[in-house]
């Protein structure tokens, strides 16, 4: 006598398998007719043209996962003797969304599986088994929540496809804290699944710290999953009946050229350091430019001289740069400053290739907030020691860089035998410039 068991197979799908009492190999209950070459070719072509990414409203995916990286794939499992299906997957991912002083991570994953009949199991029955298996899993999990893992009650929806359900869950461990909503639906012999995950943490939080982590709530997750399941239900229904997808692809925006900086006369803050320039970067007049970047008016000044003769067949290179970011309000300036400090913290006290970053140092007396960092560079691009300073001053963020090295005459600035500027000299020069610029603002 044969018994029926639910078998979990790759990709999280479920299949019915008839086995003998003794647990031997699967027993085919009927022999399926061999598909003609033309039918097989047509089915393969149809599978390759199906696009799960087109089954969600692009305006909604952009709202949930702004500027997402979109990937798609297909798995053809129609040669399997136990469960036959084709699965299409699409993901929308952005784990680095800058929002004020937070870093957000968001992700949508969609699976669409179309089942085919095997033996006495029809295609629709196979899809029902898959859906029922997922729903049973939801209902089992809702009974086993712990302090580390929580599962909401399964929520079933009427009016989304023929069947649909969703569940919310979170995991809160020492170094691992996240939550998401997931859902499953069915139309005929097609099962569709969706997962939406969202969280955020302070930009300056330690990489593995969960102290500032905030993840999506149960109410919000289930609301968004229900919405996404509804979209998938409409799209799968249209697809099954040979109709066009209900959502039109968003037209790709034409790339707009980045605004080029406009050359300007040296502004007052940069003029104020000219006496220092005579010592730090001799024999240079300096150039200045203005541009708009991320809501800020950016004033840039630079003094560069890479051929200062110092005797004994050597030349000196010195580079001084000042950027002043002027925002419309103090909060925007603060968020920009936090951005820069968060980026600097990711490499502080580390080394990658030929670049070595020092620790971040607080600079008392420089604006409302500030930090400085020494950076040593020996790469194919350049050889130098430099010191960078960022300062928050009201609605402005000021950046100062001072760098340099000595090298044999008639060699480029990346000459491997360059003698790097003393790091203390780089730091002292950058601080003196930053202090003067602040006084002129």
């Amino acid at each position: 006598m044969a018994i029926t068991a639910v078998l979990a197979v790759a990709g999280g799908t479920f299949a019915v398998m008839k086995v003998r009492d003794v647990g031997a190999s699967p027993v085919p209950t009927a022999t399926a007719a061999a598909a003609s070459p033309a039918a097989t070719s047509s089915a393969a072509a149809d599978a390759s043209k199906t696009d799960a990414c087109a089954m969600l409203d692009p305006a909604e995916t952009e709202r949930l996962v702004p500027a997402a990286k979109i990937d798609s794939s297909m798995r053809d499992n129609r040669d399997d003797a136990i469960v036959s299906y084709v699965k299409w997957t699409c993901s929308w991912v952005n784990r680095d969304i800058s929002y004020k002083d937070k870093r957000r991570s968001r992700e949508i994953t969609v699976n669409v599986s179309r089942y085919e009949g095997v033996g006495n199991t029809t295609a629709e029955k196979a899809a029902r088994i898959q859906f029922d298996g997922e729903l049973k899993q939801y209902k089992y999990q809702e009974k086993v929540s712990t302090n580390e893992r929580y599962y909401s009650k399964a929520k079933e929806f009427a009016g989304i496809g023929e069947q649909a359900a969703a569940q919310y869950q979170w995991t809160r461990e020492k170094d691992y804290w996240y939550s998401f909503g997931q859902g499953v639906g069915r139309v005929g012999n097609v099962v569709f699944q969706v997962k939406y995950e969202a969280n955020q943490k302070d930009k300056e939080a330690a990489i593995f710290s969960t102290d500032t982590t905030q993840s999506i709530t149960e109410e919000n997750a289930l609301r968004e999953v229900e919405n996404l399941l509804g979209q998938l239900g409409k799209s799968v229904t249209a697809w099954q009946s040979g109709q066009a997808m209900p959502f039109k692809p968003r037209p790709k925006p034409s790339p707009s050229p980045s605004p080029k900086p406009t050359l300007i006369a040296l502004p007052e803050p940069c003029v104020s350091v000219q006496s220092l320039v005579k010592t730090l970067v001799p024999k240079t007049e300096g150039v200045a430019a203005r541009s708009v970047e991320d809501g800020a008016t950016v004033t840039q000044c630079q003094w560069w001289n890479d051929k200062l003769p110092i005797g004994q067949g050597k030349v000196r290179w010195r580079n001084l740069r000042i950027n002043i970011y002027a925002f419309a309000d103090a909060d925007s300036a603060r968020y920009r400053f936090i951005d820069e400090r968060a980026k600097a913290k990711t490499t502080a006290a580390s080394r990658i290739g030929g670049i070595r970053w020092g620790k971040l140092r607080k600079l008392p007396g420089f604006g409302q907030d500030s930090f400085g960092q020494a950076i040593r560079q020996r790469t194919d691009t350049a050889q130098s020691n430099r010191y960078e300073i960022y300062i928050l001053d009201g609605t402005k963020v000021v950046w100062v860089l001072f760098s340099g090295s000595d090298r044999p005459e008639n060699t480029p600035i990346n000459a491997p035998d360059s003698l790097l500027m003393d790091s203390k000299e780089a730091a002292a020069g950058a601080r003196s410039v930053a202090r003067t610029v602040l006084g002129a603002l």
Side-chain angles (χ1 to χ4, degrees), residues 18-332:
K18 293 185 182 295
V19 297
R20 299 182 187 274
D21 305 9
V22 295
S25 58
V27 179
T29 55
T31 303
S36 68
T40 302
S41 175
S42 174
D46 174 59
S48 65
K49 289 189 293 185
T50 299
D51 182 10
C53 300
M55 294 186 180
L56 291 183
D57 184 347
E60 286 293 280
T61 56
E62 177 64 21
R63 176 180 68 84
L64 294 174
V65 190
K69 178 183 178 183
I70 304 174
D71 285 319
S72 62
S73 62
M74 180 191 79
R75 178 182 177 186
D76 193 336
N77 200 65
R78 286 176 292 184
D79 291 335
D80 195 290
I82 299 172
V83 56
S84 176
Y85 64 91
V86 184
K87 182 171 74 173
W88 297 267
T89 298
C90 187
S91 64
W92 294 257
V93 179
N94 191 340
R95 299 189 180 98
D96 189 16
I97 303 170
S98 177
Y99 179 73
K100 297 183 177 180
D101 56 350
K102 306 293 183 183
R103 186 78 59 197
R104 291 178 166 176
S105 175
R106 293 185 173 184
E107 181 172 350
I108 299 171
T109 303
V110 164
N111 291 318
V112 178
S113 302
R114 185 180 65 195
Y115 288 83
E116 296 186 353
V118 176
N120 289 336
T121 301
T122 65
E124 183 167 335
K125 183 178 179 180
R128 286 180 180 272
I129 291 169
Q130 163 67 12
F131 177 88
D132 291 343
E134 296 289 345
L135 182 55
K136 286 177 182 177
Q137 182 73 5
Y138 290 176
K139 291 184 175 181
Y140 167 76
Q141 289 178 153
E142 71 184 38
K143 301 175 183 178
V144 295
S145 292
T146 66
N147 291 334
E148 290 77 29
R149 294 180 182 273
Y150 165 78
Y151 304 92
S152 74
K153 289 186 177 181
K155 186 175 182 180
E156 297 183 62
F157 306 109
I160 297 179
E162 295 175 36
Q163 297 173 281
Q167 186 179 55
Y168 168 80
Q169 63 176 276
W170 54 247
T171 299
R172 293 178 181 174
E173 299 175 355
K174 182 178 179 181
D175 299 324
Y176 191 53
W177 190 348
Y178 79 108
S179 61
F180 61 88
Q182 62 181 348
V184 60
R186 183 186 67 82
V187 174
N189 67 328
V190 175
V191 173
F192 48 92
Q193 297 166 284
V194 64
K195 175 182 176 182
Y196 178 55
E197 181 180 343
N199 62 67
Q200 67 180 22
K201 64 190 298 186
D202 289 356
K203 288 178 178 176
E204 297 190 271
I207 295 176
F208 298 110
S209 169
T210 58
D211 292 345
T212 65
T213 300
Q214 297 171 296
S215 52
I216 191 168
T217 65
E218 180 174 338
E219 179 184 3
N220 290 342
L222 291 176
R223 182 188 66 245
E224 299 299 356
V225 167
E226 181 181 2
N227 179 30
L228 294 171
L229 283 173
Q231 296 173 39
L232 288 169
K234 291 178 182 178
S235 293
V236 171
T237 300
W239 176 48
Q240 288 283 71
S241 60
Q243 299 175 359
M245 289 290 120
F247 308 110
K248 299 295 182 182
R250 176 176 291 183
K252 294 182 179 180
S254 301
S256 54
S258 301
K260 294 182 179 179
T262 302
L263 291 176
I264 60 173
L266 283 177
E268 177 54 33
C270 297
V271 171
S272 70
V273 302
Q274 286 290 55
S275 59
L276 289 171
V277 168
K278 291 178 181 179
T279 302
L280 299 176
V281 194
K283 300 180 182 179
T284 53
E285 297 299 325
V287 293
R290 186 160 287 147
S291 60
V292 176
E293 176 187 322
D294 297 332
T297 299
V298 186
T299 302
Q300 307 172 57
C301 301
Q302 182 172 30
W303 296 262
W304 171 294
N305 193 333
D306 60 1
K307 295 180 181 178
L308 289 165
I310 56 175
Q312 299 181 338
K314 303 272 188 179
V315 291
R316 177 161 291 170
W317 169 42
R318 292 292 184 265
N319 179 25
L320 172 62
R321 292 185 60 187
I322 301 169
N323 282 7
I324 302 170
Y325 301 83
F327 293 87
D329 58 89
D331 279 345
S332 296

Side-chain angles (χ1 to χ4, degrees), residues 281 317-320 384-387 401-405 421 426:
V281 194
W317 169 42
R318 292 292 184 265
N319 179 25
L320 172 62
S384 74
N385 262 335
R386 70 180 184 266
Y387 199 82
L401 175 151
F402 184 46
S403 67
S405 60
M421 177 169 59

Side-chain angles (χ1 to χ4, degrees), residues 356-386:
R356 187 174 67 195
W357 291 268
K359 294 180 180 179
L360 271 59
R361 305 290 184 186
K362 172 73 175 177
L363 303 176
F366 285 75
Q368 296 162 264
D369 206 347
S370 62
F371 69 90
Q373 184 180 35
I375 303 171
R376 180 186 180 93
Q377 178 176 356
R378 286 194 179 275
T379 67
D380 291 340
T381 304
Q383 302 260 340
S384 74
N385 262 335
R386 70 180 184 266

